[in-house]
Amino acid sequence: MQKLLKPRGTQDILPQDQKYRDFIWKIFEKKMVLQGFEKIETPIFERAEVFARPIGENSDIVQKQMFEVSRLGSSKNDNEEKLVLRPDYTAGIIRSYLETGFSGAPQPFKLYYAGPLFRYERPQKGRQRQFTQFGFEVIGDSASATDALTIYTVWDILKSLKILKLCSIEINTVGCELCKPDISEKLQNFFNSFKKMLCGDCKKRINNNNPLRILDCKEKTCQKIASSSPDIIDMVCENCKTHFSETLEFLDELNVSYDLNPKLVRGLDYYTRTTFEVVIKNVKERQSSLAGGGRYDRLAKTLGGKKTSAIGMSFGVERIIEFLKENNIDAPETSKPQVMLIQLGPKARKKTLKLMTELIKKGIKSFIAPGKESLKSQLHLADKKKIRFVLIVGEREVFDKSVIVKDMERNSQESINDGRLINKLKSKIKN
Ligand SMILES: [Zn+2]
Ligand SMILES: [Zn+2]
């Protein structure tokens, strides 16, 4: 039979890559717990409306990139509610926040999450159809200090990941509910005069009255035109201006380095006020960002809740892993066995099995291959798996109650009595 392959735009996350995920996750989770965040998980699929309303009916994500979920073989029924794989985490979290009544709980409500998202895109470097995000949301708080603390947390995590110096945190404000329509109109007028030169997508953006998106277009001509467009910061209302300058003041106070990018918008309609993105420094072409986020004070309303101030951010896990590897930043080994047990003969097998259970009880990571018979094949396996200590048990070791401990790195070995084995091993592992 023909071998089946994984779908386009997906990846198997193999054992050798797990250490990078663990590395990022441990740092991320620690920072979350230290700041009083609590973990939430929401369904991988939701009603399409959950995303269409806040992200924007005319956005690329909603128009072209959502995977529909339906029962295999079911006939299309237009009245049926459409379900989709989540292309975004935040909208689902706010749906849950409103549905479960957390909006009545003391605020701010601080949540963190981790999981896969799905977008139907052309797969390329740093962009897959299934990808993972680690992120957090602070719901029910409008203070500019919260914006600063959010960006500080991103900065702090990048520092712990040892990639801060290679990255730049770009910040902008995109205005609030009150001034965004005005900004939109001014940009619409500006881009309208260049309409003929814009790419097909951007022409549509003008027709859909969504000129902010043009600032985000990757086409060279569009970027060139956008670079001479009026800066958003000069068009926002006084309240937004104050909120933004306070945010920057707090960041200076916290010694967080950032770069202002007056053209930064993010590809989702729900953002208001502070937006930010973590990009790689000194690259010719702008690549997909490692992390990003912003304030979204209007989102809850689009999902039928009352106006709720909130801000959040997320890390693109695969993108960061790729970046760590490109820069030869290694993640600590977490799952490698410390000890391998080698048995020679049936009596020895019995003894090594018993020994294995004792080792794992004492927290020593152990590996055994009971199906292998010869010393050579078992040593070969230990070598392949880069296991440092090998415990060899033959008929003789069964008889005189001992074990041969071989240090594969130092190429030395000694015979140790059963009674002293565990303590001896523990001190060897430490050195
Ligand atoms: Zn405003
Ligand atoms: Zn364009």
Side-chain angles (χ1 to χ4, degrees):
M1 259 200 266
Q2 204 187 357
K3 257 191 226 161
L4 298 173
L5 306 176
K6 62 182 184 297
R8 193 162 133 81
T10 64
Q11 276 178 316
D12 296 312
I13 301 147
L14 300 170
Q16 62 262 33
D17 273 345
Q18 295 296 342
K19 64 175 181 178
Y20 291 97
R21 286 171 99 82
D22 288 350
F23 174 55
I24 302 168
W25 174 249
K26 277 185 185 147
I27 289 169
F28 175 74
E29 191 180 34
K30 193 174 160 199
K31 310 277 183 196
M32 291 295 98
V33 172
L34 282 171
Q35 286 194 43
F37 282 86
E38 296 174 282
K39 196 174 178 193
I40 186 167
E41 287 175 46
T42 58
I44 281 178
F45 63 97
E46 298 260 7
R47 294 192 162 81
E49 282 279 277
V50 169
F51 307 106
R53 286 199 234 155
I55 295 173
E57 293 283 355
N58 293 319
S59 63
D60 284 355
I61 294 177
V62 173
Q63 288 280 316
K64 307 186 241 182
Q65 297 175 352
M66 293 207 286
F67 285 91
E68 192 174 339
V69 178
S70 60
R71 186 175 63 81
L72 192 63
S74 66
S75 59
K76 286 261 177 231
N77 180 350
D78 281 343
N79 294 325
E80 227 169 80
E81 262 174 319
K82 284 203 169 22
L83 300 173
V84 294
L85 291 179
R86 63 179 176 212
D88 170 80
Y89 225 120
T90 304
I93 289 178
I94 298 301
R95 191 269 311 137
S96 163
Y97 170 84
L98 296 170
E99 182 175 344
T100 42
F102 286 136
S103 46
Q107 312 285 310
F109 214 69
K110 299 172 81 173
L111 300 167
Y112 71 101
Y113 60 82
L117 301 177
F118 306 85
R119 287 185 199 168
Y120 192 91
E121 292 187 271
R122 193 168 60 81
Q124 51 185 295
K125 186 174 141 60
R127 191 170 298 166
Q128 295 290 322
R129 289 179 177 174
Q130 177 179 334
F131 55 100
T132 314
Q133 281 187 354
F134 296 165
F136 65 84
E137 318 287 351
V138 182
I139 309 167
D141 190 306
S142 63
S144 52
T146 299
D147 299 42
L149 195 56
T150 299
I151 295 167
Y152 166 82
T153 307
V154 174
W155 179 86
D156 190 34
I157 290 171
L158 293 172
K159 203 166 138 190
S160 297
L161 288 170
K162 304 183 195 109
I163 52 175
L164 181 64
K165 287 202 175 82
L166 305 166
C167 301
S168 151
I169 304 178
E170 297 189 341
I171 308 183
N172 196 19
T173 176
V174 294
C176 66
E177 209 172 2
L178 299 174
C179 58
K180 224 178 166 181
D182 189 41
I183 296 166
S184 202
E185 198 189 314
K186 281 181 182 149
L187 285 173
Q188 179 83 3
N189 290 336
F190 172 83
F191 284 116
N192 229 336
S193 46
F194 296 96
K195 194 172 173 185
K196 276 191 191 139
M197 294 158 71
L198 294 170
C199 75
D201 281 341
C202 285
K203 283 193 182 101
K204 263 188 228 149
R205 286 165 180 145
I206 289 198
N207 294 340
N208 293 329
N209 222 338
N210 206 340
L212 272 162
R213 282 273 165 63
I214 299 174
L215 298 175
D216 208 22
C217 183
K218 302 285 178 277
E219 291 291 327
K220 284 231 162 63
T221 325
C222 300
Q223 279 183 353
K224 204 164 171 225
I225 297 168
S227 68
S228 61
S229 67
D231 287 347
I232 302 175
I233 182 70
D234 297 327
M235 299 185 278
V236 298
C237 68
E238 279 311 308
N239 285 341
C240 283
K241 221 170 255 180
T242 310
H243 192 273
F244 191 56
S245 60
E246 282 171 3
T247 302
L248 300 183
E249 266 172 49
F250 285 125
L251 286 174
D252 293 336
E253 187 66 31
L254 297 171
N255 289 320
V256 171
S257 45
Y258 56 83
D259 294 300
L260 294 176
N261 176 353
K263 308 295 179 208
L264 178 74
V265 289
R266 309 209 67 234
L268 310 152
D269 275 359
Y270 58 61
Y271 284 111
T272 50
R273 292 197 162 166
T274 313
T275 47
F276 58 91
E277 225 167 71
V278 176
V279 296
I280 299 163
K281 259 189 209 167
N282 306 325
V283 283
K284 271 196 199 129
E285 277 190 32
R286 201 179 170 91
Q287 301 174 356
S288 44
S289 56
L290 301 178
R295 187 163 273 293
Y296 51 91
D297 296 341
R298 292 186 310 174
L299 204 165
K301 246 170 129 180
T302 64
L303 293 178
K306 64 176 201 292
K307 186 176 187 261
T308 309
S309 295
I311 184 167
M313 70 79 48
S314 63
F315 285 95
V317 177
E318 287 81 7
R319 193 68 199 88
I320 292 177
I321 292 176
E322 220 174 59
F323 190 59
L324 289 172
K325 287 183 181 171
E326 281 164 14
N327 288 284
N328 298 317
I329 298 168
D330 205 12
E333 205 67 67
T334 49
S335 60
K336 197 170 80 175
Q338 296 160 308
V339 164
M340 171 149 173
L341 297 106
I342 291 182
Q343 86 284 334
L344 304 167
K347 281 185 188 150
R349 181 171 295 152
K350 211 181 261 176
K351 176 169 170 173
T352 48
L353 274 185
K354 186 90 198 304
L355 189 53
M356 170 95 178
T357 63
E358 280 162 24
L359 291 176
I360 56 180
K361 252 187 240 163
K362 297 288 178 192
I364 297 171
K365 293 179 208 154
S366 312
F367 193 83
I368 193 166
K372 293 209 184 307
E373 304 277 347
S374 76
L375 178 63
K376 197 178 157 201
S377 66
Q378 294 179 73
L379 277 176
H380 180 69
L381 183 59
D383 187 47
K384 274 272 166 229
K385 292 185 78 70
K386 298 196 171 72
I387 300 174
R388 181 166 169 199
F389 295 103
V390 168
L391 309 187
I392 304 168
V393 180
E395 300 289 313
R396 188 170 145 192
E397 284 70 34
V398 176
F399 179 74
D400 63 14
K401 298 190 169 51
S402 69
V403 172
I404 295 171
V405 178
K406 186 173 165 72
D407 184 334
M408 301 284 276
E409 261 173 37
R410 295 189 186 161
N411 205 14
S412 61
Q413 65 177 57
E414 60 176 313
S415 171
I416 299 174
N417 281 336
D418 287 357
R420 290 166 50 232
L421 180 68
I422 292 203
N423 283 340
K424 265 271 193 177
L425 259 184
K426 277 191 168 169
S427 76
K428 274 176 183 287
I429 287 167
K430 259 187 221 152
N431 294 320

